[in-house]
Amino acid sequence: MSKQINVALIGNPNTGKTSVFNALTGLNQKVGNYPGITVEKKEGICKLPRGVKAHIIDLPGTYSLNASSLDENVVIELLLNRNGKDYPDVAIVVSDVENLKRNLLLFTQIKDLEIPTILVINMSDRMAYKGISLDIPHLEKELKTKIALISTRKNKGIDQVKELIIKHKELSIEPCLNASLIDTSYFDNLRQAFPNQLLYKLWLVITQDVNFGKTDRKNYEAVEDFKTKSKTDLKRLQQKETIKRYQFINETLKKGQTIDLKTAKDLRIKLDRILTHKVWGYLIFAAILLLIFQAIYDWSSVPMDFIDSSFAALSEWVKETLPEGAFTNLLAEGIISGLGGIVIFIPQIAFLFLFISILEESGYMSRVVFLMDRIMRRFGLSGKSVVPLISGTACAIPAIMATRNIESWKERLITILVTPFTTCSARLPVYLIIIALVIPEGRVLGLSYQALTLMLLYLIGFGAAVGSAWILNKIMGLKTKSFFVVEMPNYKLPLFKNVALTVLEKTKAFVFGAGKIILAISIVLWFLASYGPGDNFNNAESIITEQYASDNLNTSELEQKIASHKLEHSFIGIAGHAIEPAIRPLGYDWKIGVAIVSSFAAREVFVGTLATIYSVGSDEEETIKNRMAGEVNPILGGPLFNFASGISLMLFYAFAMQCMSTLAVVKRETNSWKWPIYQLVIMSAFAYIIALVAYQVLI
Amino acid sequence: MTLAELKRGQQGIITDVSSIHIPLKLLEMGCLPGNMVELVQVAPFADPMYLNINGTHLAIRKETAIHIIIETAHE
């Protein structure tokens, strides 16, 4: 078998690059990170005819090789590092047929790096609709490349792309533009200083802040003439480069592309007239949000109930079937309960990502950015902060990474700092189980009270984010130049395959990422709850039997008493009691205290922790919810989870910064421990105060 | 006149961009002298502005638009 062909997929955002990636690789893909940074790395294997395989990397979308973000840097680093293991044998530039002119800018830059390049023109199904016709042979000649006209929507042309990948050695590596044209004398100097280097590559090294081959760069800088231009001059030259490139592209397209505007139709105008309207636009956005929350609540309750009862039954079955002993208990009470605590969230997380990916894929998200920019600016945010704040409802980690396209550092920093307030999917299980316990069923205007409570909690999270942004904006007083450019892509019907793959991949990431932590913590908790120091724990049976000797309890009542006595004197019970004074004013008992403390690793641990604590020593087949409903407040009597303590607990989770992974990402994105520590301290203190006030007012 | 003064639905030709105030990214998206620009839609308070520049649809803020000089057919 021959070596795999390295292929890099490059293109502007919104060109269907990811659709091409999905069409080429199918399910043979994996998502990871580039070493040392949080930029997502998508790669996959594509099987080509005649037993050849291609290794395909889906690079982050970019408009040009002039990087202005970490994601875009990745593209340049990969293309400039000839010795890198992912250096492409062939680059595929994916472009959108409706925006060919703009897409070709990036294409000509890559050609000038003398990398064999295939031009894939996607969305060819829209040509007739838009009145576009292309002279492919002419374009191939002028651009010195091979072109595949494809449509991922109609599943056309992918075989041609595969064919071109196999024949990549036949591609011309002649550049499109003579780089010297940018500034003849400057480039002549460069050529003399570095006779063996590719001029355009040198130019990129000079103008970009790229990290690649640090030693390389030092060598360059040691040579005179290398940096003879000021920053403003360089920027002026970059602009000149852009103009030169567009001149070449316009010349090429003059003969290669004709657009008959008479036959062109435009759905965009009609849709935008309503969706970006001053009144309707906002109403529709609000309605969409309402629909999403109602759907998440209503649609996922059935599978969730099913999962909950199945795991309870499984745990019971294990206990009955396997021989008694520590291992059986660990399996039934620690591992299975812990697993149940992960699996139960799959339906909701899948639904949430389903909606988010539909909003993104359809092009609607950009309209929201447009609508919200002016409003968000008042709070020191950008319209682009809406995307992190909305995707923060799934998880703060990708949301914080999604702030990278915010041009202004101040707006970006504020967005990063406030995003953890939005209701992420890890808070959802806490809310859901408590809502089920303390909010009555019933409906108003067809919406259930429970769904409305959930919506309210989302609004509180969003309000906290925006409100704290306003305060930060006032006190930080950072003054930076702000640019705001957002592309408004065409409306597209989301492709089922893309949406399905996103949902699958994100859900998998949750189950395996968060799941590992939840499972590990569940097991640790089981040990801590099943063992304890001293006589009080070890002699629980004799102590209780003696204590209740006169009460004539039947066996099961006695066993219950023993179990709860043991739990109270286990390691976890002792720890829980230690923090109880701090949380009692909030209406919680020591068991909730344990759950809160373990939640500082990750919030989603809460339900699993309670499930583990409550299931230790209990013989009955019970769902998590029923066990929680049965808990009694040790001081006041009555259910432990009542309206006041329930609301207080939900508010605590709404505001507290309980996620180590988020803190780590904030540290990476802001490059300082200062910001995550502020977040942890301020948010958690605020959460405590609010929860305290809520409980004391409601009780 | 500047791009910020354009009315909804109106078209113009870009004649000059003040390069210090305009991000390179905007130029790369086609905001260059000689290109046609149309104001497609405005958000409340006419900010941001939703433009069609030479077939590329994008939104920019008013504070950026005042640095882009245009000519309309009526001038």
Side-chain angles (χ1 to χ4, degrees):
Chain A
M1 210 190 85
S2 63
K3 175 185 159 295
Q4 286 182 355
I5 304 171
N6 266 341
V7 181
L9 272 181
I10 311 165
N12 288 184
N14 306 309
T15 50
K17 184 167 61 67
T18 302
S19 306
V20 175
F21 179 69
N22 288 341
L24 286 172
T25 61
L27 284 168
N28 290 323
Q29 46 177 272
K30 65 171 191 198
V31 182
N33 274 330
Y34 288 93
I37 44 172
T38 43
V39 177
E40 212 172 61
K41 181 181 188 183
K42 289 182 97 168
E43 51 193 334
I45 299 292
C46 171
K47 287 202 181 94
L48 301 169
R50 300 189 282 284
V52 186
K53 276 186 187 169
H55 171 250
I56 300 185
I57 292 192
D58 184 14
L59 287 168
T62 179
Y63 292 106
S64 76
L65 290 185
N66 300 315
S68 57
S69 77
L70 212 56
D71 296 39
E72 290 167 9
N73 265 351
V74 166
V75 181
I76 299 163
E77 279 192 45
L78 190 122
L79 293 179
L80 293 190
N81 186 4
R82 251 167 218 268
N83 303 319
K85 97 178 153 53
D86 291 329
Y87 185 79
D89 297 310
V90 54
I92 297 182
V93 175
V94 181
S95 66
D96 167 2
V97 72
E98 286 180 53
N99 258 320
L100 200 51
K101 194 185 283 180
R102 196 194 66 216
N103 286 274
L104 284 178
L105 181 78
L106 178 65
F107 172 84
T108 61
Q109 288 184 314
I110 290 165
K111 271 294 277 180
D112 292 357
L113 286 173
E114 300 185 0
I115 296 169
T117 309
I118 299 167
L119 179 62
V120 165
I121 302 178
N122 195 7
M123 307 188 194
S124 60
D125 52 303
R126 305 265 302 170
M127 285 170 70
Y129 183 74
K130 285 285 180 183
I132 300 171
S133 49
L134 296 174
D135 181 349
I136 299 289
H138 177 80
L139 290 175
E140 284 187 337
K141 187 171 142 267
E142 289 296 315
L143 299 170
K144 306 177 185 78
T145 185
K146 286 285 169 196
I147 296 176
L149 193 60
I150 70 160
S151 162
T152 42
R153 186 166 297 271
K154 301 265 184 264
N155 222 347
K156 268 190 200 149
I158 293 295
D159 287 338
Q160 197 195 341
V161 178
K162 290 183 180 171
E163 206 51 51
L164 288 174
I165 295 175
I166 292 185
K167 293 196 209 140
H168 70 276
K169 292 215 165 97
E170 297 167 20
L171 289 164
S172 149
I173 54 163
E174 205 185 322
C176 282
L177 197 86
N178 180 357
S180 314
L181 285 176
I182 301 170
D183 185 323
T184 325
S185 62
Y186 182 57
F187 275 78
D188 278 347
N189 278 343
L190 275 182
R191 203 195 313 272
Q192 275 160 18
F194 308 98
N196 300 321
Q197 290 281 355
L198 186 61
L199 269 186
Y200 190 59
K201 183 179 164 182
L202 281 172
W203 170 241
L204 284 177
V205 176
I206 296 166
T207 50
Q208 310 300 311
D209 233 357
V210 181
N211 227 349
F212 81 99
K214 272 187 183 134
T215 44
D216 264 17
R217 199 179 168 107
K218 248 185 217 151
N219 289 341
Y220 289 148
E221 275 167 0
V223 182
E224 298 268 325
D225 290 332
F226 183 66
K227 266 200 170 170
T228 49
K229 297 265 179 193
S230 68
K231 266 223 157 107
T232 1
D233 280 342
L234 284 180
K235 194 183 166 191
R236 204 176 42 76
L237 287 186
Q238 282 181 308
Q239 290 177 353
K240 198 170 162 199
E241 180 197 337
T242 308
I243 293 171
K244 290 266 176 227
R245 288 192 187 281
Y246 269 118
Q247 280 171 355
F248 167 78
I249 293 163
N250 285 337
E251 206 54 48
T252 308
L253 287 182
K254 208 180 267 174
K255 271 174 98 183
Q257 175 183 254
T258 41
I259 302 177
D260 183 0
L261 284 173
K262 264 179 254 146
T263 57
K265 292 177 213 110
D266 212 342
L267 184 65
R268 162 205 287 273
I269 296 171
K270 283 179 200 151
L271 276 173
D272 271 339
R273 211 168 276 159
I274 307 163
L275 293 179
T276 63
H277 187 268
K278 284 174 191 176
V279 180
W280 301 123
Y282 294 95
L283 287 178
I284 291 168
F285 180 45
I288 288 175
L289 288 183
L290 194 69
L291 175 86
I292 290 176
F293 294 124
Q294 179 72 12
I296 287 177
Y297 207 86
D298 271 4
W299 298 355
S300 47
S301 66
V302 175
M304 285 183 76
D305 287 346
F306 171 75
I307 292 167
D308 200 7
S309 53
S310 309
F311 271 88
L314 179 65
S315 167
E316 182 65 18
W317 178 84
V318 166
K319 271 193 186 176
E320 276 172 7
T321 319
L322 294 181
E324 244 178 77
F327 175 74
T328 307
N329 284 342
L330 171 65
L331 191 64
E333 295 165 357
I335 295 175
I336 293 179
S337 300
L339 278 177
I342 306 163
V343 176
I344 194 164
F345 308 135
I346 290 177
Q348 264 143 359
I349 286 163
F351 276 127
L352 197 60
F353 281 115
L354 174 75
F355 286 114
I356 288 179
S357 90
I358 289 175
L359 292 185
E360 294 253 15
E361 277 264 313
S362 62
Y364 181 69
M365 210 62 123
S366 301
R367 272 66 185 183
V368 176
V369 169
F370 169 74
L371 283 173
M372 299 299 285
D373 182 59
R374 181 64 198 243
I375 300 164
M376 301 303 276
R377 233 184 303 164
R378 283 216 183 133
F379 301 98
L381 298 167
S382 151
K384 291 185 182 177
S385 311
V386 175
V387 180
L389 290 179
I390 291 178
S391 51
T393 58
C395 177
I397 295 161
I400 284 168
M401 295 196 287
T403 61
R404 282 184 194 145
N405 67 349
I406 299 176
E407 293 88 347
S408 143
W409 166 242
K410 178 183 138 190
E411 289 169 351
R412 181 168 167 227
L413 179 63
I414 295 181
T415 311
I416 290 174
L417 293 178
V418 305
T419 295
F421 273 123
T422 51
T423 305
C424 67
S425 53
R427 286 184 177 101
L428 204 53
V430 182
Y431 290 169
L432 290 169
I433 202 143
I434 295 171
I435 286 175
L437 287 170
V438 306
I439 305 291
E441 283 175 31
R443 276 172 190 270
V444 55
L445 298 173
L447 296 162
S448 74
Y449 289 133
Q450 301 190 333
L452 284 174
T453 310
L454 188 68
M455 169 107 184
L456 199 65
L457 282 162
Y458 273 87
L459 287 177
I460 288 173
F462 195 72
V466 173
S468 50
W470 186 79
I471 297 169
L472 284 170
N473 187 32
K474 290 277 170 218
I475 59 175
M476 286 202 333
L478 277 176
K479 280 244 182 311
T480 52
K481 238 191 240 170
S482 83
F483 291 126
F484 175 85
V485 181
V486 59
E487 195 194 346
M488 308 289 269
N490 276 320
Y491 289 106
K492 279 176 290 221
L493 210 59
L495 278 180
F496 174 76
K497 192 173 183 180
N498 289 355
V499 174
L501 279 170
T502 309
V503 171
L504 191 72
E505 175 215 308
K506 301 281 180 189
T507 313
K508 242 167 72 184
F510 169 81
V511 172
F512 294 110
K516 262 185 274 177
I517 306 172
I518 298 177
L519 189 61
I521 290 182
S522 300
I523 293 171
V524 170
L525 284 172
W526 178 85
F527 274 107
L528 293 177
S530 302
Y531 295 93
D535 290 345
N536 240 331
F537 182 86
N538 294 321
N539 303 328
E541 260 170 69
S542 53
I543 293 171
I544 293 292
T545 323
E546 223 170 276
Q547 199 179 338
Y548 293 96
S550 54
D551 287 5
N552 255 342
L553 295 174
N554 64 30
T555 337
S556 83
E557 278 173 318
L558 198 64
E559 271 177 12
Q560 277 289 322
K561 293 270 186 225
I562 295 170
S564 69
H565 183 85
K566 269 191 162 175
L567 188 58
E568 250 190 287
H569 293 94
S570 67
F571 290 112
I572 209 163
I574 294 165
H577 281 295
I579 57 161
E580 202 173 5
I583 54 170
R584 181 156 289 158
L586 277 57
Y588 317 153
D589 71 345
W590 65 270
K591 291 177 189 169
I592 301 179
V594 170
I596 288 179
V597 170
S598 55
S599 292
F600 273 91
R603 295 178 185 94
E604 53 271 48
V605 167
F606 178 83
V607 178
T609 304
L610 285 184
T612 310
I613 297 178
Y614 292 153
S615 73
V616 169
S618 133
D619 273 338
E620 283 153 73
E621 174 195 340
E622 280 274 31
T623 62
I624 300 169
K625 189 178 140 191
N626 288 345
R627 281 202 187 109
M628 287 172 72
E631 281 293 301
V632 172
N633 188 312
I635 298 167
L636 301 169
L640 176 65
F641 290 95
N642 55 29
F643 188 69
S645 66
I647 297 289
S648 158
L649 195 55
M650 287 196 285
L651 288 174
F652 184 84
Y653 272 81
F655 299 127
M657 177 73 225
Q658 299 166 291
C659 181
M660 291 192 302
S661 324
T662 303
L663 291 172
V665 168
V666 171
K667 194 257 151 187
R668 260 196 289 194
E669 296 289 311
T670 60
N671 215 0
S672 128
W673 276 112
K674 181 170 121 190
W675 301 114
I677 289 171
Y678 277 167
Q679 277 181 315
L680 177 67
V681 174
I682 295 173
M683 288 175 69
S684 305
F686 182 64
Y688 184 85
I689 294 166
I690 294 289
L692 178 70
V693 171
Y695 182 73
Q696 295 300 337
V697 168
L698 290 170
I699 194 69
Chain B
M1 68 189 274
T2 74
L3 182 55
E5 297 161 57
L6 207 62
K7 300 268 179 310
R8 198 161 75 104
Q10 226 182 346
Q11 290 184 341
I13 303 276
I14 299 172
T15 53
D16 193 18
V17 286
S18 156
S19 57
I20 318 156
H21 298 101
I22 301 293
L24 189 58
K25 189 172 161 192
L26 192 54
L27 303 186
E28 287 166 358
M29 289 175 88
C31 183
L32 290 168
N35 279 345
M36 179 117 107
V37 55
E38 181 195 346
L39 184 61
V40 180
Q41 178 72 283
V42 285
F45 305 102
D47 191 14
M49 310 171 84
Y50 175 175
L51 306 166
N52 175 359
I53 298 178
N54 218 15
T56 294
H57 294 78
L58 48 89
I60 60 171
R61 286 180 186 164
K62 211 170 185 170
E63 62 193 38
T64 309
I66 57 172
H67 298 294
I68 300 168
I69 313 296
I70 58 158
E71 248 171 37
T72 57
H74 308 293
E75 275 180 346

